[in-house]
Amino acid sequence: MKTGVFDLLKGKFLVSGDAPKNWLFIIFISFLATVMISSSHSADQKVHQIALLNEEVKELRNEFVDMRSDVQQLKLESNITGKISEKGLYPSETPPQKIRVKSLNEKE
């Protein structure tokens, strides 16, 4: 047991007769560790990108609500009347009348 631990610490398993098998296993484990690290970095990057996009969506939603309220204010009749009165146009005092056109085929 004592010699097995010393052999492991000295690295004799890397230079012994079956060393190529051990080297292949070490290379395989290193490759898996590299893939795992790159996958973790990619996932972190996507999480940060999603957070940024969520912030942008919130900002755009707030901007949309502000613009919608501005448009509703601009569509009010009192606002339109004030703007056209500056140009010399005023609302009519008499209400509009419906004009009916009778065709020749229509009998009444």
Side-chain angles (χ1 to χ4, degrees):
M1 174 82 174
K2 191 174 185 182
T3 59
V5 173
F6 284 131
D7 288 343
L8 183 64
L9 291 174
K10 290 180 183 178
K12 285 190 178 181
F13 68 96
L14 296 175
V15 291
S16 65
D18 58 348
K21 181 178 71 169
N22 293 337
W23 278 106
L24 285 176
F25 185 70
I26 290 171
I27 291 171
F28 177 70
I29 294 296
S30 299
F31 174 74
L32 285 180
T34 305
V35 168
M36 187 178 79
I37 290 169
S38 68
S39 174
S40 174
H41 283 299
S42 175
D44 287 342
Q45 183 180 13
K46 287 179 183 177
V47 166
H48 289 294
Q49 185 178 9
I50 288 171
L52 289 174
L53 289 174
N54 282 334
E55 287 298 319
E56 186 177 350
V57 165
K58 286 179 185 177
E59 289 175 12
L60 289 173
R61 187 174 290 133
N62 289 337
E63 185 178 339
F64 167 73
V65 169
D66 290 341
M67 290 295 162
R68 184 173 58 184
S69 65
D70 290 344
V71 167
Q72 286 177 347
Q73 288 294 323
L74 289 173
K75 289 190 324 186
L76 291 176
E77 182 180 355
S78 59
N79 197 357
I80 293 173
T81 305
K83 291 206 184 251
I84 62 169
S85 66
E86 295 171 357
K87 297 182 180 183
L89 297 174
Y90 297 100
S92 175
E93 297 291 329
T94 60
Q97 295 179 354
K98 192 172 191 178
I99 299 174
R100 273 193 98 155
V101 177
K102 294 182 182 177
S103 64
L104 296 176
N105 296 337
E106 188 178 311
K107 294 182 181 178
E108 194 171 308

